[in-house]
Amino acid sequence: MALKHEPTAPYHSTQDALRVLETVTRHSTGVTDTELARRTGLGTERLTALLRMLRREGYVEQVAHGEYVPGVSLSRLGSAHGHDQALREKLQHTLDRLRDSVGAAIYISRYIDGEVQVTQCAEGPTTPAVHEWVDFRSSAHASAVGKSLLGQLDLNGRRDHLARHKMARLTSRTITNERVLLSRLDAQPPTVPVLDLQEYAVGTVCAAVPITAGSSVGCLALSLPIEHAHRLRQAAETLNKGAAPVLLSLAI
């Protein structure tokens, strides 16, 4: 299966953040922001924003004289022992924070062995998760999650998936014509969130953004009840901006 690699803003942020972390880890006694700027080639404004994010996520800490050193989160994720558990906990913490800031249920989904899998979710009393009334694995054509994942595959990968999963009509808005779906996937800019406007379920709208790390296809998504549909596009933009910490956790 080949992938379509079209870098998004979160991807670029992640690459820059990794450059900063690599520089920090090479200086065991700490490194100043001036030295970080010189060694990474990042501008002051860009570096300041990245350091703010890295401190918030626990990847770096600032010591007494202002130097930056590796943080607890970086140490935990960088250790082979307990890495998977540390990653899951870190991602859940990030999802919980996104849920509260966006005001929507938040999901991480991956495309694993040719199937759509929602691997983690953050929901709450006022941000309920979408009711999975049709298995997500067989409804990729109708959901924002599925369309985001399929959009990251090449044409052969998309056709292979659709050949294995019939495009059933789930609502009156569901696309059931393969040519139409493939055309829309091909026209979808990688930097624009994929939307589901009651295509999977009546009463629910969703959005998803890609979080592709290496050869692994994934996406970050949100769902809202239809009465909050007016918030969808703004929520999707906030989600897109919040994707970098998720992608960074997956890349470490």
Side-chain angles (χ1 to χ4, degrees):
M1 177 184 67
L3 308 182
K4 291 178 63 179
H5 285 287
E6 298 179 76
T8 59
Y11 174 85
H12 288 304
S13 294
T14 299
Q15 296 306 301
D16 289 345
L18 287 172
R19 285 161 61 194
V20 173
L21 291 179
E22 287 168 3
T23 304
V24 170
T25 55
R26 285 199 297 267
H27 295 74
S28 57
T29 58
V31 58
T32 64
D33 51 3
T34 302
E35 184 68 7
L36 280 170
R38 188 179 72 81
R39 290 185 175 273
T40 62
L42 295 169
T44 302
E45 185 176 346
R46 177 70 166 162
L47 180 60
T48 298
L50 286 170
L51 286 171
R52 187 183 305 118
M53 184 268 284
L54 292 171
R55 288 179 66 188
R56 186 187 69 232
E57 297 294 327
Y59 291 123
V60 300
E61 296 175 4
Q62 198 169 17
V63 294
H65 298 290
E67 295 93 345
Y68 290 91
V69 297
V72 174
S73 293
L74 184 60
S75 300
R76 291 193 67 200
L77 288 180
S79 172
H81 178 69
H83 171 269
D84 290 349
Q85 180 64 25
L87 175 60
R88 186 168 185 83
E89 291 174 359
K90 179 61 180 169
L91 289 174
Q92 191 62 49
H93 178 74
T94 303
L95 294 188
D96 289 345
R97 189 173 62 242
L98 273 172
R99 174 201 60 204
D100 295 340
S101 64
V102 176
I106 308 291
Y107 315 79
I108 290 180
S109 186
R110 311 288 289 277
Y111 196 72
I112 303 172
D113 297 329
E115 300 294 350
V116 173
Q117 295 187 25
V118 175
T119 54
Q120 284 182 253
C121 171
E123 59 178 316
T126 60
T127 54
V130 63
H131 172 56
E132 189 179 355
W133 76 283
V134 175
D135 194 321
F136 290 139
R137 291 175 297 179
S138 60
S139 56
H141 65 291
S143 69
V145 160
K147 287 185 288 183
S148 178
L149 296 176
L150 291 178
Q152 296 172 63
L153 307 181
D154 65 5
L155 180 58
N156 288 336
R158 296 171 187 173
R159 283 178 169 162
D160 172 73
H161 183 92
L162 296 175
R164 292 183 286 109
H165 297 284
K166 177 178 171 57
M167 295 174 61
R169 184 174 300 281
L170 307 184
T171 77
S172 62
R173 294 174 175 266
T174 306
I175 298 172
T176 57
N177 183 293
E178 181 174 317
R179 188 175 65 241
V180 172
L181 178 65
L182 291 175
S183 176
R184 292 197 183 179
L185 291 176
D186 199 48
Q188 176 74 31
T191 55
V192 177
V194 177
L195 303 182
D196 158 17
L197 305 175
Q198 300 190 90
E199 295 171 54
Y200 171 77
V202 173
T204 301
V205 294
C206 305
V209 296
I211 49 170
T212 304
S215 61
S216 175
V217 171
C219 72
L220 188 64
L222 65 83
S223 67
L224 288 167
I226 190 63
E227 55 265 31
H228 291 282
H230 62 282
R231 295 202 294 115
L232 181 61
R233 292 189 184 276
Q234 182 58 52
E237 289 304 317
T238 304
L239 184 75
N240 202 20
K241 292 174 183 176
V246 175
L247 193 49
L248 182 58
S249 297
L250 293 171
I252 293 175

